[in-house]
Amino acid sequence: MKKNVLVIGGGGREHAIVYSLSRSPEVGKIYCAPGNAGIAQLAECHPEIKATDLDGVVAFVRSHGDIYLTVVAPDDPLAAGMVDRLEAEGFRAFGPRANAARLEASKSFAKDLMKKYGIPTAAYEVFTDYDAAAAYLETCSYPTVLKADGLALGKGVLICADRAEAMAGLKEIMLDKAFGSAGNTLVVEDFLTGFECSALAFCDGKTIVPMTTSQDHKRALDGDRGLNTGGMGTFSPSYKVGPAMEKRIYDEVLRPTLDGLNAEGIEFKGVLYAGLMINGDDIKVLEYNARFGDPETQVILPRLKTDLFDIFEACIDGTLDKVDIEWTGSCAVCVIAASGGYPEAYEKGKEIEIGQLDDNVVVFHAGTAMKDGKLVTSGGRVLGVTALAPTLAAARDLAYANIKKVRFDKMHYRTDILKEL
Ligand code: AMP
Ligand code: GLY
């Protein structure tokens, strides 16, 4: 019998997860909370239930006797223990429990784990006291990197060129609490150079299976200028990471991370994401996430041949070693269409037009909603155009040819994703 699934979240990542699950012959009805206008074409959306509403989600699963599995995709509900809550009620859930999600939710926890288990990362110091941090910033070398300890929507990282910038950043994080209680603890780490790569892997607590590689473009504007965003474009696979480097990422980062967590008595089931900085032969972990990346998922899952539902099942049951995870030979590129002004203030409610898309192109919705029967913008990152083709250059050209068919007032997108190819 087919099984019904609830997906928590409402962005492009969740649209890509719902899209993959909808292709599984084992999956019946899909529910999504809160979802968005694109997801609503494949799933029954519940905009009244926010992704962070633990009580609401548990009550929803309890009242719908027909939900077999809940997939918790975003960081906040994972860190808050949504999987723990569902399991405590006897429900099946995909994602790490709160103790394992700390890998993302606390940067000092992640850094200490890396230090203890010899996982390569930038040298760092942790401070809970403003004066001690200020004294350290007098003597450290520049540029330096300040990180608020907790979840801060990807914004709690400040790269400071000199001491004056660092002192201003320190005040912002620890005194003004610009990122709320995330700023009670501060990590100061060495500035690294190189290229960034996302290494995602499925984990069942014992086995860790790397996904195909991908790369994100985090700055808002062409030429990596402008502010850091949640991600403006991705491609997969990363042409900069060959098989030898992939093996090193497994041996030196992914495997030891899972082993280290196990040694600490923490079982990690779900998606482990290591954000890496690679410079020549040097690999260093910038951060961990305890979930699928957004918009990495929009280029990774369309390349997955294996049934995603089967992989989720194996992660929960501890049988990942029995699953053969296969990828298609095609390449994928995703370009994000954002609201003008994002990641700072932007307007919502702009009507969106999407023309006739070419084959091998999917639009994953992120910040969209239906209003009076019309598709409108409702967030900073509005949608992502993912294109698949035999080469990265062809996928890039197809993505750009199709993003031109998307229109809304003040739409902004980067024009330089993979320009170098
Ligand atoms: P994080 O949330 O830790 O990934 O940081 C966000 C972004 O800040 C990363 O994707 C990098 O672009 C940048 N970043 C973080 N840590 C460092 C570092 N130690 N050196 C240089 N850039 C960094
Ligand atoms: N694309 C970066 C992230 O999901 O955190």
Side-chain angles (χ1 to χ4, degrees):
M1 207 178 77
K2 292 195 182 221
K3 295 177 167 133
N4 298 346
V5 181
L6 166 65
V7 175
I8 304 302
R13 166 183 54 204
E14 288 76 16
H15 192 178
I17 292 171
V18 167
Y19 172 84
S20 281
L21 289 173
S22 72
R23 309 181 127 207
S24 166
E26 292 171 68
V27 172
K29 182 164 181 174
I30 305 178
Y31 299 93
C32 190
N36 63 38
I39 296 174
Q41 292 165 12
L42 301 167
E44 180 182 303
C45 290
H46 285 267
E48 73 283 4
I49 306 174
K50 300 284 165 268
T52 47
D53 180 2
L54 271 64
D55 292 338
V57 167
V58 171
F60 183 81
V61 175
R62 201 187 295 127
S63 65
H64 280 67
D66 64 342
I67 295 172
Y68 170 78
L69 170 70
T70 302
V71 177
V72 184
D75 51 358
D76 297 289
L78 288 167
M82 189 178 278
V83 169
D84 311 53
R85 281 283 306 278
L86 287 162
E87 287 182 346
E89 301 251 350
F91 301 125
R92 205 168 161 80
F94 175 82
R97 300 185 189 117
N99 66 344
R102 269 187 86 199
L103 201 56
E104 172 168 8
S106 168
K107 292 194 187 285
S108 59
F109 170 77
K111 294 292 289 189
D112 291 348
L113 185 98
M114 287 189 265
K115 190 180 201 172
K116 188 165 172 189
Y117 295 97
I119 298 156
T121 189
Y124 70 103
E125 299 285 336
V126 179
F127 299 95
T128 49
D129 176 63
Y130 172 85
D131 291 326
Y136 178 77
L137 294 178
E138 295 282 343
T139 57
C140 73
S141 60
Y142 287 92
T144 197
V145 184
L146 308 189
K147 298 185 172 185
D149 189 56
L151 295 177
L153 295 168
K155 292 179 189 146
V157 174
L158 302 178
I159 295 176
C160 306
D162 53 34
R163 197 165 62 85
E165 269 187 30
M167 292 305 287
L170 173 66
K171 178 171 174 295
E172 202 183 333
I173 293 175
M174 287 193 100
L175 296 184
D176 306 342
K177 296 276 193 265
F179 311 107
S181 59
N184 292 345
T185 301
L186 177 78
V187 173
V188 182
E189 70 176 32
D190 287 358
F191 176 74
L192 301 174
T193 54
F195 72 89
E196 288 184 49
C197 172
S198 306
L200 282 76
F202 293 108
C203 292
D204 71 356
K206 305 184 295 276
T207 302
I208 178 160
V209 181
M211 298 185 208
T212 179
T213 51
S214 58
Q215 272 179 239
D216 191 7
H217 292 70
K218 288 195 171 138
R219 301 292 200 100
L221 306 175
D222 283 4
D224 283 331
R225 290 177 300 110
L227 294 170
N228 253 323
T229 69
M232 294 297 290
T234 39
F235 60 87
S236 174
S238 163
Y239 65 92
K240 294 183 187 171
V241 176
M245 183 63 87
E246 276 193 64
K247 181 170 180 329
R248 284 190 53 206
I249 294 170
Y250 178 84
D251 290 341
E252 296 170 33
V253 176
L254 297 174
R255 188 69 245 176
T257 301
L258 195 65
D259 291 343
L261 286 166
N262 279 326
E264 297 293 308
I266 297 169
E267 184 183 57
F268 194 106
K269 289 181 169 191
V271 173
L272 177 71
Y273 167 145
L276 307 173
M277 183 75 90
I278 300 179
N279 195 340
D281 283 338
D282 190 51
I283 306 173
K284 287 208 166 61
V285 178
L286 287 177
E287 62 158 349
Y288 290 111
N289 294 321
R291 52 171 175 82
F292 279 108
D294 188 342
E296 285 90 337
T297 309
Q298 291 91 308
V299 285
I300 290 176
L301 290 186
R303 298 186 57 229
L304 179 65
K305 253 197 214 168
T306 313
D307 189 323
L308 183 63
F309 178 77
D310 287 341
I311 300 175
F312 286 167
E313 290 272 80
C315 288
I316 297 169
D317 293 335
T319 54
L320 204 50
D321 57 335
K322 309 246 171 1
V323 184
D324 195 12
I325 298 181
E326 291 184 291
W327 304 93
T328 67
S330 59
C331 298
V333 174
C334 174
V335 182
I336 299 291
S339 300
Y342 171 79
E344 294 187 288
Y346 55 84
E347 293 167 37
K348 297 184 191 177
K350 307 284 187 193
E351 195 177 332
I352 306 168
E353 269 179 64
I354 304 177
Q356 184 66 42
L357 302 171
D358 291 325
D359 288 346
N360 299 315
V361 175
V362 196
V363 169
F364 290 120
H365 291 224
T368 68
M370 291 302 289
K371 199 175 158 202
D372 304 327
K374 287 186 176 138
L375 183 66
V376 296
T377 66
S378 68
R381 287 188 296 175
V382 174
L383 50 82
V385 175
T386 293
L388 291 158
T391 64
L392 280 170
R396 169 204 61 200
D397 293 345
L398 191 59
Y400 276 117
N402 281 272
I403 204 166
K404 295 199 171 67
K405 301 176 185 179
V406 176
R407 276 195 205 95
F408 56 87
D409 185 31
K410 301 199 172 70
M411 170 171 142
H412 162 71
Y413 62 90
R414 277 184 64 160
T415 63
D416 66 343
I417 310 293
L418 281 177
K419 200 176 175 181
E420 68 272 22
L421 291 187

